[in-house]
Amino acid sequence: GEDVEQSLFLSVREGDSSVINCTYTDSSSTYLYWYKQEPGAGLQLLTYIFSNMDMKQDQRLTVLLNKKDKHLSLRIADTQTGDSAIYFCAESSYTGTASKLTFGTGTRLQVTL
Amino acid sequence: DTAVSQTPKYLVTQMGNDKSIKCEQNLGHDTMYWYKQDSKKFLKIMFSYNNKELIINETVPNRFSPKSPDKAHLNLHINSLELGDSAVYFCASSLHYYGYTFGSGTRLTVV
């Protein structure tokens, strides 16, 4: 089955690094995604990683994938107040006829001064 | 310019009414989806259409009926609205299993 878990809340100080963790269960996932949702807004794609990669870096964002443990993390360097939002990890599954994203429970990131 | 657009952005209606939400994508994607986000921010897939054909239908009440007139449009019609239907509904599209793009959401409030 598919179940994607995240811790619900993370508080960091401005300028520090944030690490948001995610565990998933579907080992056949092809891509894993990180989305950001600001209050009252839609889902913004931040980054994604292909399942045969271990790491992907994109400016302040670093994604680490441990496929053996089915663990995904998102590191945000030099966290800013504008990074305060809910972060969702999501795994994609594709059966040949149907594809879908299964989302984690979301982690609310609070950045304090 | 908007890749996935959905209307309306806000919808307030009384219990028992019937309402529709429209979605259009101009990305040339072949698959479209409806997701529901509840008050705890949980996001769950409701439906998926591939080239106008219903592919995924999660456990959703029959009061919800999606319709895809062509592969660029996926509308959601809801009959006999209930208080528990209050949520944010997101439309999305993808090309096979890649490039998921979401609309900005429709906040439905049933009173």
Side-chain angles (χ1 to χ4, degrees):
Chain A
E2 306 133 358
D3 203 7
V4 184
E5 297 286 338
Q6 300 177 236
S7 52
L8 290 180
F9 186 75
L10 176 66
S11 181
V12 299
R13 296 183 72 162
E14 190 178 38
D16 289 348
S17 291
S18 309
V19 179
I20 302 171
N21 294 303
C22 171
T23 57
Y24 61 98
T25 56
D26 188 352
S27 57
S28 66
S29 294
T30 47
Y31 287 92
L32 294 133
Y33 297 81
W34 284 103
Y35 284 86
K36 175 184 180 182
Q37 186 178 34
E38 297 183 58
L43 294 161
Q44 174 194 352
L45 175 64
L46 283 179
T47 187
Y48 63 91
I49 188 167
F50 191 50
S51 57
N52 69 354
M53 297 170 66
D54 299 324
M55 185 182 88
K56 181 179 180 182
Q57 187 148 5
D58 186 358
Q59 299 182 335
R60 292 190 298 123
L61 305 178
T62 303
V63 179
L64 294 178
L65 175 61
N66 181 330
K67 206 171 176 185
K68 174 175 166 290
D69 294 338
K70 298 192 185 73
H71 184 265
L72 181 73
S73 68
L74 174 70
R75 179 177 179 268
I76 306 173
D78 188 25
T79 312
Q80 302 297 306
T81 54
D83 295 324
S84 294
I86 299 176
Y87 291 80
F88 293 94
C89 65
E91 59 176 355
S92 67
S93 57
Y94 180 63
T95 61
T97 55
S99 64
K100 66 176 182 180
L101 279 183
T102 301
F103 284 87
T105 46
T107 299
R108 186 178 297 272
L109 175 64
Q110 177 182 276
V111 182
T112 58
L113 296 173
Chain B
D1 270 336
T2 306
V4 180
S5 60
Q6 50 183 115
T7 55
K9 191 169 173 63
Y10 299 96
L11 189 51
V12 181
T13 188
Q14 289 188 324
M15 280 175 57
N17 283 351
D18 302 339
K19 289 293 177 187
S20 292
I21 307 172
K22 295 187 175 182
C23 179
E24 176 182 3
Q25 56 95 4
N26 62 5
L27 297 166
H29 286 171
D30 59 358
T31 307
M32 295 186 73
Y33 313 80
W34 279 109
Y35 278 81
K36 179 181 179 179
Q37 185 173 44
D38 64 20
S39 58
K40 293 183 179 172
K41 304 298 183 185
F42 295 148
L43 277 154
K44 192 165 168 54
I45 190 168
M46 300 172 69
F47 301 104
S48 160
Y49 268 75
N50 180 271
N51 286 319
K52 303 193 299 177
E53 185 182 344
L54 180 65
I55 300 296
I56 293 174
N57 183 351
E58 296 287 307
T59 309
V60 178
N62 290 339
R63 298 181 295 102
F64 290 79
S65 52
K67 281 190 172 49
S68 182
D70 56 61
K71 70 176 191 176
H73 295 84
L74 180 62
N75 304 322
L76 183 66
H77 187 76
I78 316 170
N79 288 327
S80 304
L81 278 154
E82 300 177 358
L83 292 176
D85 297 331
S86 295
V88 181
Y89 293 85
F90 286 100
C91 176
S93 69
S94 73
L95 186 63
H96 303 308
Y97 52 85
Y98 179 71
Y100 291 88
T101 305
F102 284 79
S104 56
T106 296
R107 183 175 296 274
L108 171 65
T109 304
V110 182
V111 297

